[in-house]
């Protein structure tokens, strides 16, 4: 193969530590020795997570890590406000007196308004994300959203009235809407099919990082009565965009976006940069770019919004959208946004902040385990089992909560049920909804599919955020019966309607949906042509052979 042309002057600087020498051999061997399920050389069906360590070059790691950091913005703001609204200083600034002792608190209506109205910004952000990405690409979109975040945080921290603080939240949430779509679609485009579930699913891992970090900050200032005691927890979230702004210098544009813009040579250089040296030397990057271009022949123009609801695209749009709706209706907003308020309502307010930190930490463990399994057990199986266990622990929480005189052990059991629900949610539905949304759309509509589905997700999240304070005040722990029922419905939908798209190239999905393959047969159906060649090129290093070991690979 002829040598690639020299990189143009605009190409980001690539320090020596971003070469394409695959790192992680020691980690891979350790995983294989102590956790055999993670062995990347294991036969198909055991696990493919070890392939992440084999394929993860430094350049790919940096690209995925920087874009994954974007998701800390949402996790931090959501959990931060859940705790900030219970800080005495915040209540004194924006709440009303609740007793003769001089205490202040946000009323249910005000808490509902301040929590839910921010989703208006996220709604607009998710709708405008594909327009920005299609026009200026992922890298410049990241710089735009970081700037918007700085503006929103500044507005929040200088607030003296509810209206100004809410305006700041709307601005911050606009950038969150951009971030969710930008990070997931970029990662789904740049990583090999065998790694896509784990990498794109890391969105929830970083959301949890943000939640744990903000929970700790809130705990530090939980009894503060001065203005700085609520301003500091809000202001700290501006630290992450600083890292991202500088880190974006080192990430390349997505190869499929570049090919769609007629810049195939740049796409090849991107692939050579993020793939292992062996792939480059063997000409696999050139072959992958050729196959992508062939698969995109006649489809490089981005389709209009109405195409989401035409032909086979309607099925893809509906699957992504309904999965996102159930992600919210199974109760995550109840835990992430109102758990301190819930604990206070049922008489466990003394340790509400500690419970919140513990719940975020347990959820982080669930996310990590889910990342280990999503590319081996599959998206569909994890959704089914996740919804089953969510229903079990929500029903258990409600059952314990109906006792009129609960004991100390009952209280601990109730808190444990909340944490275990959060564990299974964050390991399954939380990240997998984004994985499915980012990869299920066709190439000409991928950003719009993700944008539409996540916009409906915003509407569902707003509805939950608006209603939960009233439900907590009215029915307390019985809220578990409601969300548990939705979890049962989510189980049925995942079983009958969600196809298994694990280890499929993005182009293979086009073929399967255009052929109207039923959901239960997705994993076993053979694909052909350029779509299959792309999948084989993406997966062959992970499986150590040129042909995938089975039609569902």
């Amino acid at each position: 193969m002829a040598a690639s042309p020299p990189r143009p002057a605009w190409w980001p600087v690539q320090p020596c530590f971003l070469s394409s020498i695959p790192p992680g051999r020691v980690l891979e061997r350790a995983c294989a020795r102590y956790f055999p399920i993670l062995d990347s050389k294991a036969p198909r069906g055991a696990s493919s997570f070890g392939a992440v360590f084999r394929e993860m070059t430094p350049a790919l790691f940096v690209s995925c890590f920087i874009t994954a950091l974007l998701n800390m913005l949402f996790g931090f703001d959501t959990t931060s406000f859940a705790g900030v609204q219970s800080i005495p200083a915040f209540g004194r600034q924006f709440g009303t007196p609740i007793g003769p002792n001089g205490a202040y608190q946000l009323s249910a209506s005000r808490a509902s308004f301040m929590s839910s109205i921010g989703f208006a910004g996220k709604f607009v952000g998710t709708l405008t994300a594909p327009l920005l990405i299609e026009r200026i690409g992922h890298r410049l979109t990241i710089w735009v959203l970081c700037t918007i975040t700085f503006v929103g945080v500044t507005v929040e921290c200088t607030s003296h009235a509810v209206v100004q603080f809410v305006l700041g939240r709307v601005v911050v949430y606009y950038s969150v809407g951009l971030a969710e779509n930008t990070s997931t679609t970029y990662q789904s485009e740049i990583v090999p099919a065998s790694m896509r579930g784990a990498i794109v699913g890391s969105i929830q891992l970083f959301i949890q990082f943000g939640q744990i970090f903000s929970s700790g900050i809130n705990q530090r200032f939980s009894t503060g009565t001065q203005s700085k005691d609520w301003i500091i927890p809000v202001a700290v979230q501006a630290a992450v965009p600083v890292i991202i702004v500088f880190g974006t210098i080192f990430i390349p544009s997505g190869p499929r976006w570049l090919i769609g813009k007629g810049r195939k040579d740049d796409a090849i250089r991107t692939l050579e940069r993020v793939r292992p040296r062996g792939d480059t030397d063997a000409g696999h990057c050139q072959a992958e770019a050729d196959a992508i271009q062939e698969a995109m022949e006649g489809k490089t123009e981005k389709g209009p919004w109405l195409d989401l609801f035409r032909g086979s695209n309607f099925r893809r749009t509906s699957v992504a959208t309904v999965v996102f709706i159930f992600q919210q209706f199974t109760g995550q907003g109840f835990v992430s946004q109102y758990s301190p308020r819930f604990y206070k309502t049922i008489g466990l307010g003394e340790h509400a902040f500690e419970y919140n930190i513990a719940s975020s930490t347990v959820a982080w463990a669930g996310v990590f385990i889910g990342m280990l399994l999503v590319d081996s057990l599959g998206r569909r199986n994890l959704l089914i089992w996740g919804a089953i266990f969510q229903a079990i622990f929500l029903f258990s929480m409600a059952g314990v909560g109906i006792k009129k005189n609960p004991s100390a052990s009952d209280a601990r059991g109730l808190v444990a049920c909340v944490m275990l629900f959060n564990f299974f949610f964050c390991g399954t539905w939380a990240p997998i909804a984004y994985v499915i949304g980012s990869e299920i759309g066709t190439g000409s509509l991928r950003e719009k599919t993700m944008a539409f589905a996540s916009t409906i997700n915003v509407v569902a999240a707003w509805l939950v955020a608006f209603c939960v304070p009233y439900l907590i005040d009215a029915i307390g722990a019985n809220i578990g019966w409601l969300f548990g029922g939705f979890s049962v419905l989510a189980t049925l939908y995942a079983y009958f309607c969600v196809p298994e798209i694990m280890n499929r190239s993005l182009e293979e999905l086009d073929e399967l949906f255009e052929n109207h393959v039923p959901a239960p047969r997705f994993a076993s159906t053979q694909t052909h042509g350029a779509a299959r060649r792309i999948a084989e090129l993406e997966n062959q290093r992970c499986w150590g052979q040129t042909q995938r070991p089975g039609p569902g690979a």
Side-chain angles (χ1 to χ4, degrees):
M1 172 184 149
S4 298
R7 293 189 175 95
W10 53 263
W11 197 263
V13 177
Q14 182 174 337
C16 60
F17 65 84
L18 294 187
S19 67
S20 58
I21 301 173
R25 292 292 184 180
V26 174
L27 183 56
E28 180 195 2
R29 291 170 184 170
C31 288
R33 178 177 179 182
Y34 298 108
F35 303 96
I37 191 174
L38 305 183
D39 185 2
S40 61
K41 297 182 178 62
R44 175 165 175 75
S47 175
S48 65
F49 188 79
V52 172
F53 303 126
R54 298 179 60 201
E55 286 266 302
M56 183 64 74
T57 64
L60 183 59
F61 174 80
V62 169
S63 298
C64 294
F65 180 75
I66 294 299
T67 51
L69 281 177
L70 290 168
N71 303 306
M72 288 187 67
L73 299 176
F74 182 45
F76 190 101
D77 187 82
T78 302
T79 302
S80 176
F81 186 70
V84 164
Q85 63 180 289
S86 297
I87 293 175
F90 189 85
R92 183 176 296 276
Q93 181 71 51
F94 301 105
T96 55
I98 58 172
N101 59 353
Y104 288 76
Q105 180 177 308
L106 297 181
S107 64
S109 59
R110 181 162 292 184
S112 173
F113 172 72
M114 296 182 75
S115 293
S116 60
I117 197 64
F119 288 105
K122 189 178 179 185
F123 181 88
V124 178
T126 55
L127 285 178
T128 56
L131 304 179
L132 283 173
I133 295 170
E134 291 169 10
R135 181 172 294 272
I136 64 177
H138 296 89
R139 295 176 67 241
L140 291 180
T141 301
I142 291 172
W143 280 326
V144 170
L145 73 87
C146 286
T147 302
I148 294 172
T149 301
F150 291 133
V151 173
V153 172
T154 301
V155 172
E156 285 181 322
C157 293
T158 58
S159 298
H160 296 284
V162 171
V163 172
Q164 183 180 346
F165 188 86
V166 167
L167 177 61
R169 291 206 79 210
V170 170
V171 173
V172 170
Y173 263 55
Y174 175 79
S175 67
V176 168
L178 292 178
E180 285 188 355
N181 285 268
T182 304
S183 65
T184 52
T185 55
Y186 176 82
Q187 290 171 349
S188 69
E189 182 171 325
I190 203 168
V191 301
S194 58
M195 306 165 58
R196 201 165 57 233
I199 299 301
V200 179
S202 70
I203 179 175
Q204 191 63 31
L205 185 72
F206 282 83
I207 288 175
Q208 290 303 129
F209 279 148
Q211 290 180 347
I212 294 171
F213 185 42
S214 62
S215 296
I217 296 292
N218 288 342
Q219 171 63 20
R220 165 64 180 79
F221 295 95
S222 61
T223 58
T225 57
Q226 300 180 29
S227 295
K228 67 178 180 64
D229 294 317
W230 71 264
I231 292 176
I232 292 175
V234 172
V236 168
Q237 65 184 308
V240 174
V242 173
I243 300 172
I244 295 171
V245 164
F246 289 101
T248 306
I249 297 172
F250 302 108
I251 72 174
S253 296
R256 288 172 174 84
W257 182 83
L258 290 169
I259 290 175
K261 295 295 183 182
R263 295 162 56 183
K264 181 180 176 181
D265 289 341
D266 293 335
I268 294 171
R269 283 190 285 270
T270 290
L271 291 170
E272 289 176 345
R273 184 174 168 185
V274 299
R275 297 290 188 258
R277 178 69 68 187
D279 284 5
T280 303
D281 295 340
H284 293 161
C285 296
Q286 174 75 53
E288 186 175 347
D290 290 341
I292 291 173
Q293 185 178 48
E294 180 184 341
M296 292 176 63
E297 194 69 37
K299 303 178 183 178
T300 56
E301 292 296 325
K302 295 296 183 179
W305 287 94
L306 286 178
D307 281 359
L308 291 173
F309 312 103
R310 293 171 177 158
S312 63
N313 291 326
F314 177 74
R315 180 184 174 194
R316 305 166 91 148
T317 304
S318 63
V319 169
T321 302
V322 175
V323 168
F324 263 123
I325 289 173
F326 277 124
Q327 186 202 52
Q328 296 298 329
F329 280 11
T330 52
Q332 73 84 20
F334 151 68
V335 176
S336 65
Q337 298 179 65
Y338 294 108
S339 53
R341 185 185 187 96
F342 170 70
Y343 291 133
K344 289 183 178 182
T345 301
I346 60 175
L348 301 174
E350 183 179 356
H351 300 290
F353 284 94
E354 288 89 342
Y355 293 150
N356 205 32
I357 295 173
S359 182
S360 296
T361 305
V362 168
W364 182 89
V367 174
F368 187 73
I369 293 173
M371 286 177 62
L372 299 181
L373 299 177
V374 68
D375 284 318
S376 56
L377 296 185
R379 287 79 158 132
R380 181 171 176 270
N381 286 334
L382 286 181
L383 288 179
I384 292 170
W385 286 105
I388 289 173
F389 281 106
Q390 286 170 223
I392 289 172
F393 290 111
L394 285 167
F395 289 151
S396 298
M397 180 194 78
V400 173
I402 62 176
K403 292 187 176 181
K404 295 187 179 298
N405 297 300
S407 63
S409 60
D410 291 331
R412 289 192 293 271
L414 188 148
V415 172
C417 287
V418 174
M419 293 183 182
L420 288 169
F421 157 78
N422 206 25
F423 173 86
F424 283 102
F425 169 79
C426 289
T428 56
W429 283 81
I432 294 175
Y434 292 100
V435 175
I436 291 176
S438 67
E439 65 185 358
I440 202 170
T442 188
S444 61
L445 294 169
R446 186 162 300 116
E447 291 82 9
K448 288 186 175 71
T449 302
M450 179 65 184
F452 178 81
S454 56
T455 298
I456 300 302
N457 176 261
V458 171
V459 176
W462 170 83
L463 183 61
V464 172
F466 182 83
C467 295
V468 163
Y470 300 103
L471 291 171
I472 289 175
D473 289 351
I475 62 177
N478 286 305
I479 197 172
W481 299 116
L482 174 64
F483 289 128
F486 279 115
S487 295
V488 172
L489 294 178
T491 304
L492 297 175
Y493 182 81
Y495 183 83
F496 290 106
C497 300
V498 177
E500 182 52 74
I501 53 183
M502 174 182 67
N503 289 336
R504 294 287 191 181
S505 73
L506 298 176
E507 290 71 21
E508 277 185 300
L509 300 184
D510 292 340
E511 180 179 332
L512 292 168
F513 278 107
E514 288 170 3
N515 291 335
H516 306 288
V517 177
R521 292 174 50 195
F522 249 64
S524 59
T525 301
Q526 287 275 6
T527 55
H528 309 86
R532 182 169 179 83
R533 291 204 307 276
I534 295 170
E536 289 171 351
L537 287 166
E538 289 182 347
N539 290 307
Q540 64 184 345
R541 285 183 58 85
C542 301
W543 305 115
Q545 51 192 31
T546 57
Q547 297 293 323
R548 290 177 301 167

